[in-house]
Structures are given as structure tokens and as C-alpha cells.
Amino acid sequence: MYIYVPDKVAAKPAVIVALHPCGGNAQQWYGGTRLPSYADKNGFILIYAGTPNMNNCWDVQSTGSLTHGQGGDALGIVSMVNYTLNKYSGDASKVFVMGSSSGAMMTNVMAGSYPDVFEAGAAYSGTAHACFAGAPSATPMSPNQTCAQGLTHTPEQWGNFVRNSYPGYTGRRPRMMIAHGLADTLVRPQCAREALKQWSNVLGVTLTKTSSGVPSSAYSQEIYGDGTKLQGFFGTGVGHTAPVNEDLMLKFFGLIA
């Protein structure tokens, strides 16, 4: 666990967990986005979690990570959140998670396994929650690439994976932003489609609007419901991984105007 605490911390600061891609680490991901500069301006705290396992790829396939309170990398990350909230008097209603590639896969896992912890998530070039369930590992070298190649389920089936990760939970669910490049050959664009199907089912919203040129000319934006709970972004000519748009993400989180 690495943590970035700005010089001027807000009263009851928000907390963002930032999850690195496969082969990366916390230090690399600190420099992978402009989030530290936004933390300086807005007073929120950044947690940079790191995993040394599976070529530095997150545990998105184990029963532990995919079950609330049962362990795996997921529970380790939640422990980091609880530590940070306690140490810095953070706002438990403003905890967010974001990541790229394997970190995006883990973002979906965190939102699915710990809906009581996270207000919202943003996944860049990831896969749906439980897409890798039961696989021996979740790396590009893993013999089972069914998930990353675009494993399909119905929205209800995907939604059940989330609901079954925390049986009996009836509270609010994290709002989600899903971004993916249409030229991604490592984690196929269909993976984002499946994640959107999943969260559409879980959040009870359907696709209402598609806009081209948002947030830039290469992208199209998909709005579900009124757009406050679920949005998708697809980039033409964008490979692996889709770059993080900090302004867009932090506005969706509600941390900047």
C-alpha cells in the first residue's frame, strides 16, 4: 500500500483507490495519471495498492476476491480503505475505485464484492465482475483467455454474478463508468459491452442515449438512464489501454464540478 496525501487535505476527504495494470506497480501507476495534481487542488486522498503476484496482475478470479469478506486481493484493498478512512478522518460515503487493464478488472470486482464500500468506479479496458471466475490466473500469459476475448452472458446472468458475491445485500450499488478502445486486441471491446450489460442489470438502467465526439472526436458516449449511474465510452482507433480522462471521471464521481 502506498498513499498520496496532499499538503492541504479536505475536511472529511474523499478517497480514491487507484489500481495499476498487469506488470505495473503502485509507483508506476502514481505517474500513470494526473490524479495527484487533482488531489492537490481538491484535497482528496489517493491509495495506490500494489500486488506482487501473477506478474503483478490482480486476483480477479479467486473465490476469495469474488466473495464479500472472504479474502483475496479484494479484502486486502478494503483493509487499506478502512485504514485510510480512520487515519485521515475520511468520508466513508465518498470512496471510489479506478484502474486500467488488470486494475480495471479489479475495479469491477471491488464494485461487485464490496458495494457497501464504494460509491462509484471507473474501469479502463477491463472485464466484467467474475468474468475470470474459476480461471487458474488472470494474466495475458494465462492459458485461459476466454474472458479477455469477450466471454458473453445475458445481462441477468452477469447481474447474478454480482448479486451472488454478496448474498442478501440490499443496499445501494456503486455507479460505474466503463471505457474501452475499439482497437484493443488484448482485452477485446466486447469485454466492455459485457460489463455494461452487467451493471445495466444490477443498477436497473437501460441505454437511453449515444453521443459521438464525447469526450473527444475519437469517442462515443453511451448514457444509461439519466447518466448518473452508468456510462460507457468507446474509442475508435484506441488500443490497449484506453487513456484515463481525469476530468470526465472526477465529474462522474462528483468530486469536481
Side-chain angles (χ1 to χ4, degrees), residues 132-201:
F132 272 101
S137 66
T139 79
M141 292 73 71
S142 176
N144 186 345
Q145 292 299 310
T146 306
C147 168
Q149 290 301 306
L151 175 67
T152 60
H153 287 298
T154 67
E156 179 75 13
Q157 287 170 330
W158 278 125
N160 286 340
F161 283 128
V162 170
R163 288 180 283 270
N164 291 340
S165 287
Y166 192 177
Y169 179 76
T170 57
R172 54 158 300 285
R173 297 281 179 175
R175 302 178 295 109
M176 295 297 292
M177 174 183 285
I178 305 295
H180 218 102
L182 290 172
D184 192 337
T185 57
L186 184 65
V187 181
R188 299 283 182 181
Q190 187 64 35
C191 296
R193 291 261 166 243
E194 299 303 308
L196 287 165
K197 283 160 59 175
Q198 181 172 63
W199 294 112
S200 174
N201 179 265

Side-chain angles (χ1 to χ4, degrees), residues 25-41:
N25 55 46
Q27 296 95 323
Q28 166 263 325
W29 196 226
Y30 168 80
T33 75
R34 295 181 294 155
L35 283 175
S37 66
Y38 284 84
D40 291 339
K41 295 174 191 171

